[in-house]
Amino acid sequence: MNTYKITFTRENGTQGADHFTAATEKQARKDFNECYRHGTGVIVSVELVRTDAPATKQQERDALAKIRQIVDTLGPESYLAIAFEGCFDLAAENIENDWGCSMADRVRRAEKRAAELEDKLTESVKDYEAAHAAAHAVAEEKDAEIAKLKAQLTKMQETARWNGQRCDEEATAAGEAQRRAETAEAEVIRLKAKLYDYMTREG
């Protein structure tokens, strides 16, 4: 946009100056007449003082309205309507909020976010595979330990069974010895009684 310095003469003969931002001198003169429509100021000169001036918010709003109207006349299925989908709303937000966002920026941010998520997913897969491998190794180690414990338990059970059999045999032998001892003791008592009877008769 260009900035024009417009010098003008007021009704009382004094001179004044004002600056207008417009695309062309013609538009600047038109904006001057609109601004000073309630007076009788007469333009004396128009001087171009800047060629890189930013447009005003109202100029941006007006331009956006014209562009939207042009695209609307083409229909919602037109290539331009499809290409500009969401752009008009974003442009309006930029104007009102002094933002500098674009659909391209949003796409780049989305692509960056997608790449970050892909990296995280790849890292998560690696972590999962490593954890799975570690868990598998631990499982194998535990399986071996369990098998060893089972073997030890089986051996202990066999030993206990053998010891039980020995205990049963020894218990049987002890019972037999006790029975024989009781029989012998009874026989001794019987013989003593018999001897006593014999000795008593002899006397």
Side-chain angles (χ1 to χ4, degrees):
M1 298 291 285
N2 300 322
T3 298
Y4 297 92
K5 178 183 178 182
I6 297 180
T7 304
F8 60 95
T9 301
R10 300 186 181 91
E11 294 178 354
N12 58 10
T14 60
Q15 280 195 345
D18 202 348
H19 292 79
F20 291 86
T21 299
T24 64
E25 180 180 331
K26 181 180 179 180
Q27 183 62 46
R29 287 175 177 272
K30 181 177 179 181
D31 293 342
F32 171 84
N33 291 328
E34 176 65 22
C35 182
Y36 290 91
R37 64 183 181 279
H38 299 298
T40 57
V42 178
I43 296 176
V44 176
S45 65
V46 178
E47 177 185 0
L48 176 63
V49 295
R50 185 177 177 183
T51 59
D52 59 348
T56 65
K57 285 193 173 187
Q58 187 57 48
Q59 287 172 331
E60 296 243 16
R61 293 188 191 97
D62 294 341
L64 177 60
K66 291 178 181 178
I67 296 171
R68 190 194 293 267
Q69 184 178 10
I70 293 172
V71 174
D72 287 344
T73 60
L74 299 176
E77 302 300 324
S78 69
Y79 297 122
L80 286 180
I82 295 172
F84 280 107
E85 183 179 358
C87 294
F88 294 135
D89 293 336
L90 181 58
E93 292 176 4
N94 284 345
I95 295 170
E96 300 306 324
N97 300 295
D98 294 323
W99 291 344
C101 300
S102 69
M103 296 301 280
D105 288 335
R106 291 187 175 182
V107 170
R108 283 191 290 268
R109 286 197 296 269
E111 290 176 346
K112 182 179 179 181
R113 179 59 177 163
E116 291 175 351
L117 291 175
E118 287 179 0
D119 291 341
K120 288 184 179 180
L121 177 60
T122 301
E123 192 66 26
S124 297
V125 170
K126 290 181 180 178
D127 291 342
Y128 170 78
E129 291 176 348
H132 181 72
H136 187 67
V138 171
E140 289 182 347
E141 181 180 347
K142 293 299 180 183
D143 287 342
E145 184 177 347
I146 291 171
K148 183 178 179 181
L149 291 173
K150 285 183 177 179
Q152 291 177 352
L153 179 61
T154 300
K155 186 175 181 180
M156 291 174 64
Q157 289 174 339
E158 291 176 352
T159 300
R161 191 179 301 109
W162 183 80
N163 288 335
Q165 291 176 352
R166 288 292 305 276
C167 287
D168 291 341
E169 292 173 357
E170 290 178 359
T172 301
E176 181 64 23
Q178 180 67 25
R179 185 187 62 77
R180 289 169 59 189
E182 291 175 352
T183 301
E185 184 179 3
E187 183 64 21
V188 169
I189 293 173
R190 188 184 66 79
L191 290 173
K192 283 183 178 182
K194 188 176 182 180
L195 178 61
Y196 178 78
D197 292 338
Y198 180 77
M199 289 177 64
T200 302
R201 284 196 303 270
E202 288 293 327

